[in-house]
Amino acid sequence: MIISGKDLSKSLKEALKCHVAELEAKHGTTPFLAVILVGEDPGSVSYVTGKAKAATEVGIRNTTMRYPETITEEELLAIIDKLNADDDVDGILVQLPLPKHIDEQKVIAAIRPEKDVDSFHPVNVANLWLKLPGFKPCTPKGIIKLLDSAGVEIEGKEAVVVGRSNIVGLPVAKLLLDRNATVTVAHSRTKNLGEVTRRADILVVAIGRERFISADMIKPGAVVIDVGVNRDSRTGKLCGDVDFEHAEAVASAITPVPGGVGPMTITCLMENTVESFERKVTK
Ligand code: NDP
């Protein structure tokens, strides 16, 4: 079975569009998302374009604020301050990575946690680990929705997450743990990675290496979620961290790249923006 993030996103966005229309009828306005893009990195430009398109599709007002690579940290922090103070702005997203002369952590920490729809702010990270209310980070949230949509039982299952980044590996491990999976987190220093991944009923891979997980590293019947986004060195096309072509025959269900986790990340960002607006209007 192919778990299509593209299809699930489509239906979630349709439902969200109706919800936003209801909110507009009730409150006379819609959520507003401000996206900040520094520089011209093609990957970042494409991600930001996708986010703006999705926002417009569901009726979220949005703006993409573009700045040159040469912007100073101070100038960027001043822009965030203004957006923080603007009650009309529900979500602030700074597209990462930022140029080297800007301290990313400082910029993320400058966003008011209530508007941090990416959920990277230390307060939101703490809320996740303490099981307190707050935004869930978009990619991990999208992964759980994909598993649920495919009818995958998570409770009691062996889940292995390969990758321990702050934005994917660690938070997805936490969400799986919250759903009562038995979770192992593997990384670049893990010994005998194949032995570890072969234990997984649910295997989530977020490494950033083209087709790194081969079919023989997957337990027959496992559910495989491929987060990786890489350029195929042969064809130049997008590909995941899993050797999809061969893994498909071993796994019981698997996400494709593109069309798997990626669209879900964007859809969950839209959900978080609407959630932020709803919190504001019901305060
Ligand atoms: P990071 O580079 O921050 O983290 C990569 C992780 O993979 C690290 O924990 C690293 O281990 C681990 N790793 C690297 N090499 C190996 C190896 N040989 N064996 C085992 N583990 C290894 O990446 P991100 O988490 O930010 O992203 C991972 C991938 O997911 C990328 O391709 C990225 O583009 C994609 N992505 C996709 C999204 C989507 O919406 N589809 C959203 C976000 C990311 P260690 O900690 O030891 O260095």
Side-chain angles (χ1 to χ4, degrees), residues 169-277:
L170 290 183
V172 80
K174 169 64 173 149
L175 292 184
L176 288 164
L177 197 55
D178 288 348
R179 292 287 296 269
N180 299 320
T182 302
V183 182
T184 303
V185 180
H187 45 78
S188 68
R189 315 287 168 89
T190 298
K191 299 255 186 315
N192 305 322
L193 184 64
E195 266 175 36
V196 177
T197 55
R198 270 190 298 276
R199 289 209 302 264
D201 301 311
I202 298 169
L203 178 63
V204 179
V205 190
I207 311 176
R209 288 178 176 225
E210 152 189 11
R211 296 197 190 85
F212 186 79
I213 302 291
S214 50
D216 65 347
M217 295 169 83
I218 299 168
K219 174 176 164 176
V223 175
V224 179
I225 304 290
D226 188 353
V227 186
V229 179
N230 312 294
R231 282 276 159 211
D232 187 314
S233 47
R234 284 172 297 160
T235 64
K237 289 186 181 161
L238 286 187
C239 72
D241 288 344
V242 177
D243 178 9
F244 181 88
E245 213 181 308
H246 300 103
E248 195 189 356
V250 181
S252 63
I254 184 167
T255 57
V257 177
V261 175
M264 291 302 295
T265 298
I266 296 185
T267 300
C268 290
L269 175 72
M270 300 307 130
E271 289 191 357
N272 283 357
T273 306
V274 173
E275 191 182 314
S276 173
F277 174 84

Side-chain angles (χ1 to χ4, degrees), residues 133-192:
F135 301 119
K136 300 273 182 288
C138 303
T139 303
K141 179 176 173 178
I143 291 171
I144 300 295
K145 281 179 187 273
L146 282 168
L147 291 170
D148 285 340
S149 78
V152 176
E153 167 117 34
I154 300 176
E155 179 157 334
K157 293 289 160 60
E158 287 282 344
V160 174
V161 178
V162 191
R164 54 175 166 181
S165 70
N166 289 335
I167 62 164
V168 189
L170 290 183
V172 80
K174 169 64 173 149
L175 292 184
L176 288 164
L177 197 55
D178 288 348
R179 292 287 296 269
N180 299 320
T182 302
V183 182
T184 303
V185 180
H187 45 78
S188 68
R189 315 287 168 89
T190 298
K191 299 255 186 315
N192 305 322

